[in-house]
Amino acid sequence: MAEELTPATPEETEEPIKQRKNGLYREVSDELAENMKSGWADTELTGLAPIAQAEHTAARRAALSARFPGERLVIPAGNLKTRSNDTEYSFRASTEYAYLTGDQTQDGVLVLEPTAGGHRATIYLLPRSNRENGEFWLDGQGELWVGRRHSLAEAEQLLGIPAKDVRELPAALQEATGPVRNVRGHDAAIEAALTDKVTAERDEELRVYLSEARLVKDAFEIAELQKACDSTARGFEDVVKVLDKAEATSERYIEGTFFLRARVEGNDIGYGSICAAGPHATTLHWVRNDGAVRSGELLLLDAGVETTELYTADVTRTLPINGRFNEIQRRIYDAVYEAQEAGIAAVKPGADYRDFHDAAQRVLAEKLVEWGLLGDLDVEKVLELGLQRRWTLHGTGHMLGMDVHDCAAARTASYVDATLEPGMCLTVEPGLYFQADDLTVPEEYRGIGVRIEDDILVTEDGNRNLSASLPRQADEVEAWMARLKG
C-alpha cells in the first residue's frame, strides 16, 4: 500500500493545496503543485470500436423506453463500498445498469429522458481527472491513485450513448419536472436528488420490469453464459488436479484454486464458492471453506466463473476425494444423478417452469421410500406432505444470468408460474443431504451430502446443457478424475 498520510486538523484544511487520500491530508509545496501541472502527454484515444454488446444494449434500452413512455428513467451503477477503514470492496456495477449500457464504472448513471418520439439516453460518468487543478494526483480517487478512466468522448465511442459529467446530474435531477422512476439501492446521492419526485411503488415497477426483461436471453448473453460455463469447467479440472494439496491444507486450497481461474479468465467468481468437504456438504451454503479435506469423503464443489461482461455460471459437482465412490456414496450419488436427469428432461419450451422441480423431487422421493426412510408411506403421500424435503431441502433450480439468482424481482406469474420459452437459462440442481446428527437415517448415510448442478438453456426443440463438458455419471466422474490426477 502507498504511504500513510497524516489526518488533517481544521486549521490545516484551510490551506490552499493539500493532498487527500481517504480523508487524510498532507501539505504540498506550491512548486510541486505547479510542476505536476505540465509535462504530460496527451493520451486521448480516438477511433475506438463500439463494445461487443452495443447493439444489444441499444435494443434493451429501446424496449425499456417503450414500456415507460413519457417518463424520466434513472438507472445508477452504484458507488464504492467501504470494506474497512480506508479500503474498499472491488466495485461491481449494478446488474440493471450494466445490462442497459455494457459499462461497469463506479458512479455512472444512465438517464432516459422522455421525448416526443420516445426517450433520449444519456450516460453520466466521471470524466478524466483534471490535471490543471491537480485532482488527478491530489485526490484519493484521482487517476494517479486508481488508474486511468475513459474520457467522456471515449465513452461515447465505446458505448454508443452521449456522455456527460455525472457530477452535474444531482442538480439537474432536482430541477427536472414530470414523472420519474429510479432503480433504488445503488446511489444515495441520486436518491436524495429525487426524494420528492419518485414513489416506492413506481420505482419497484421499474425494477420488476428490468428483472423480467432478463428472463429470455439474447444471443450475446447466451454466448457469455457458455463462456462462463467453459471457464468454470476448467476451474473444476484445476481443483481435481490439486486435491492432494487440499488434503494437506484445507478447503481454502480448493477455493483459492478455483478463484485463480475465475480471475484469469473472467471478472471474478459469480458468488461465494462452496467448497464443502465431508459433512460440510450437508450445509447448503457452506462458504467458510476452512474445513479438512479427507480421503474417503466427498467434496461438494459449487462454483461459477463470472465473465468480464458479468455473466455467471453456477455449477456443482460432488466428487470422491480419493477418486472412487464407496458403495453408500455411489447409491446416494446415483439417486441424485437420476433425479437430475429427470429434471433436465423436463426443461423444454412450453413446459411449466415448475415441471423440472417436480420431476426431480419425484425421483428423490421414490429413492427415499425405496430405502425405507419414510416408513410404509407411498410416494404419492410423501410428495403430498412434502416429507422428502427433510433431505432434499431446496428448490431444484433458478434462473441464471448476470446474477446467479437472476431475475429475482420478477413477478411470480412471470417466473415460477410461467411457461418456459427458448432463450431462458436455468439451473437444475437436485440434492440429498443427510445431516451428521440425523438419527432417522442409517449411520452410514450421516454426513453425506450430494448435489449435481448444470446450467440448462431452453432451445426451440428442447434444451442444451451449457456445462455438459463436465462429467456427471458416477463412472465417468471417476474416469475423469483418474485422467486429471494422472
Side-chain angles (χ1 to χ4, degrees):
M1 295 290 287
E3 172 188 0
E4 293 185 4
L5 307 177
T6 304
T9 66
E11 294 77 16
E12 288 175 332
T13 58
E14 297 300 318
E15 296 181 9
I17 304 176
K18 299 289 181 183
Q19 187 177 39
R20 177 169 63 86
K21 177 87 164 55
N22 296 312
L24 302 177
Y25 294 79
R26 71 175 178 186
E27 293 184 22
V28 300
S29 68
D30 292 343
E31 290 78 8
L32 175 58
E34 189 63 30
N35 177 275
M36 291 293 283
K37 291 181 180 180
S38 60
W40 306 103
D42 180 7
T43 60
E44 183 75 10
L45 305 176
T46 59
L48 296 174
I51 60 173
Q53 58 176 313
E55 182 179 340
H56 296 283
T57 56
R60 298 166 195 166
R61 293 192 299 274
L64 174 61
S65 172
R67 172 61 180 82
F68 297 103
E71 302 184 57
R72 181 175 280 100
L73 309 174
V74 182
I75 302 94
N79 319 120
L80 286 174
K81 292 181 172 59
T82 300
R83 180 181 184 273
S84 177
N85 190 26
D86 62 349
T87 61
E88 293 89 16
Y89 288 103
S90 297
F91 179 73
R92 202 279 197 182
S94 73
T95 291
E96 296 88 352
Y97 174 86
Y99 175 75
L100 292 167
T101 67
D103 181 56
Q104 298 181 33
T105 56
Q106 68 201 52
D107 303 320
V109 184
L110 174 68
V111 178
L112 270 62
E113 298 179 20
T115 64
H119 284 84
R120 180 178 64 254
T122 304
I123 192 163
Y124 289 84
L125 303 166
L126 284 173
R128 296 289 309 280
S129 290
N130 189 315
R131 299 206 172 193
E132 181 61 29
N133 68 10
E135 175 193 2
F136 82 104
W137 72 285
L138 292 172
D139 190 280
Q141 286 299 312
E143 293 182 355
L144 186 146
W145 286 95
V146 299
R148 185 189 190 278
R149 52 183 176 254
H150 287 297
S151 70
L152 298 182
E154 291 169 355
E156 290 183 354
Q157 295 176 67
L158 291 166
L159 304 175
I161 312 171
K164 293 184 179 180
D165 189 336
V166 71
R167 293 170 295 189
E168 302 169 359
L169 181 58
L173 290 176
Q174 287 177 335
E175 297 174 2
T177 59
V180 183
R181 296 179 191 260
N182 174 50
V183 177
R184 298 190 181 197
H186 300 302
D187 194 315
I190 296 301
E191 291 183 23
L194 293 171
T195 298
D196 300 325
K197 303 177 186 298
V198 296
T199 67
E201 181 181 7
R202 289 163 55 79
D203 287 354
E204 181 63 11
E205 288 175 354
L206 173 59
R207 189 173 78 99
V208 168
Y209 168 81
L210 289 172
S211 194
E212 294 182 358
R214 302 196 308 275
L215 284 166
V216 176
K217 271 58 182 179
D218 59 37
F220 179 87
E221 294 178 289
I222 292 169
E224 284 296 308
L225 287 167
Q226 183 65 71
K227 187 188 301 182
C229 287
D230 292 344
S231 289
T232 297
R234 289 188 284 273
F236 275 65
E237 292 175 350
D238 296 338
V239 167
V240 171
K241 292 175 182 177
V242 300
L243 281 176
D244 57 336
K245 295 183 175 64
E247 286 187 59
T249 51
S250 76
E251 295 161 338
R252 293 281 169 91
Y253 204 97
I254 294 167
E255 179 182 6
T257 298
F258 186 85
F259 180 70
L260 177 61
R261 178 66 66 173
R263 286 293 283 164
V264 168
E265 295 193 1
N267 177 61
D268 207 329
I269 50 175
Y271 54 95
S273 298
I274 298 169
C275 307
H280 288 163
T282 65
T283 301
L284 296 185
H285 287 168
W286 177 260
V287 293
R288 298 182 206 168
N289 299 335
D290 58 359
V293 179
R294 292 178 286 259
S295 180
E297 296 184 335
L298 298 177
L299 166 67
L300 190 157
L301 177 58
D302 184 337
V305 171
E306 177 187 73
T307 70
T308 55
E309 302 301 332
L310 307 185
Y311 288 83
T312 186
D314 182 8
V315 178
T316 306
R317 291 293 183 268
T318 305
L319 310 172
I321 292 167
N322 65 8
R324 304 285 294 181
F325 294 101
N326 66 32
E327 180 183 355
I328 296 299
Q329 291 169 348
R330 182 180 280 260
R331 177 187 303 170
I332 297 168
Y333 185 93
D334 285 348
V336 175
Y337 171 75
E338 187 176 330
Q340 196 203 25
E341 284 283 273
I344 292 174
V347 176
K348 53 190 173 184
D352 290 341
Y353 174 84
R354 296 180 188 268
D355 286 353
F356 76 95
H357 170 73
D358 293 341
Q361 288 289 299
R362 174 169 290 277
V363 171
L364 294 177
E366 290 171 350
K367 296 299 180 181
L368 294 165
V369 169
E370 178 185 322
W371 297 340
L373 302 186
L374 289 160
D376 58 359
L377 294 176
D378 63 22
V379 171
E380 298 303 328
K381 193 63 175 178
V382 167
L383 290 170
E384 177 189 341
L385 300 175
L387 297 178
Q388 82 284 358
R389 292 184 59 187
R390 180 183 179 104
W391 302 289
T392 66
L393 296 179
H394 55 78
T396 307
H398 51 81
M399 290 295 179
L400 184 68
M402 296 185 79
D403 290 326
V404 64
H405 296 135
D406 208 29
C407 313
R411 296 165 296 176
T412 299
S414 301
Y415 191 160
V416 296
D417 285 345
T419 299
L420 295 180
E421 300 177 39
M424 289 181 170
C425 187
L426 51 91
T427 67
V428 179
E429 50 175 313
L432 282 173
Y433 311 92
F434 298 104
Q435 306 301 319
D437 59 351
D438 188 348
L439 302 181
T440 70
V441 300
E443 185 175 359
E444 62 267 28
Y445 284 58
R446 298 173 198 166
I448 295 178
V450 173
R451 180 164 66 251
I452 312 171
E453 177 182 20
D454 285 270
D455 300 343
I456 310 299
L457 174 69
V458 183
T459 62
E460 294 289 343
D461 57 358
N463 67 64
R464 185 170 97 229
N465 185 345
L466 301 180
S467 46
S469 62
L470 283 173
R472 294 183 294 125
Q473 196 274 336
D475 287 342
E476 293 173 352
V477 168
E478 290 179 343
W480 171 72
M481 292 183 70
R483 288 195 305 272
L484 292 172
K485 286 184 166 186

